[in-house]
Amino acid sequence: ALVPFVKSLSIEMAPKGVRVNMVSPGSIFEDGNTWGRQRDAGSERYTKTLALNPMGRMGTPQEVAAPVVFLAGRQASFITGVNFIVDGAMTARVQY
């Protein structure tokens, strides 16, 4: 229920000039994180998760950081109440 909360809070805070957004990452790979360790161990879960992603790979921390930086910057000054999904098209439903 976090997405409706963000939307509600964004409406409440907009008149005060405060923007409220969220970034929802999918499977994010880094050598030292859970996915990196599962890859190194030859985990079936890693292979299955990788196969589920339409892009055929996991994201990187940098690919999650980029939309966070964008949403925090001036270029996004009229953007509020959004859930910015960073998951390589894994989420199949339409976002509202």
Side-chain angles (χ1 to χ4, degrees):
L2 192 54
V3 174
F5 173 71
V6 166
K7 187 62 172 180
S8 176
L9 189 58
S10 72
I11 293 167
E12 181 181 331
M13 299 303 290
K16 297 175 182 170
V18 176
R19 295 179 294 119
V20 181
N21 297 299
M22 66 185 285
V23 174
S24 297
S27 300
I28 304 302
F29 178 87
E30 192 170 41
D31 282 329
N33 75 1
T34 299
W35 291 117
R37 289 190 302 274
Q38 288 192 28
R39 178 205 58 191
D40 294 346
S43 164
E44 185 178 332
R45 181 174 178 227
Y46 173 81
T47 305
K48 285 182 177 181
T49 301
L50 206 58
L52 288 173
N53 194 296
M55 293 188 84
R57 66 179 183 87
M58 293 183 182
T60 67
Q62 294 80 7
E63 290 171 318
V64 177
V68 171
V69 170
F70 169 72
L71 288 171
R74 276 193 216 126
Q75 292 177 320
S77 64
F78 200 59
I79 298 173
T80 190
V82 301
N83 178 20
F84 199 126
I85 298 174
V86 184
D87 71 354
M90 205 160 163
T91 301
R93 60 185 162 70
V94 175
Q95 300 302 304
Y96 295 100

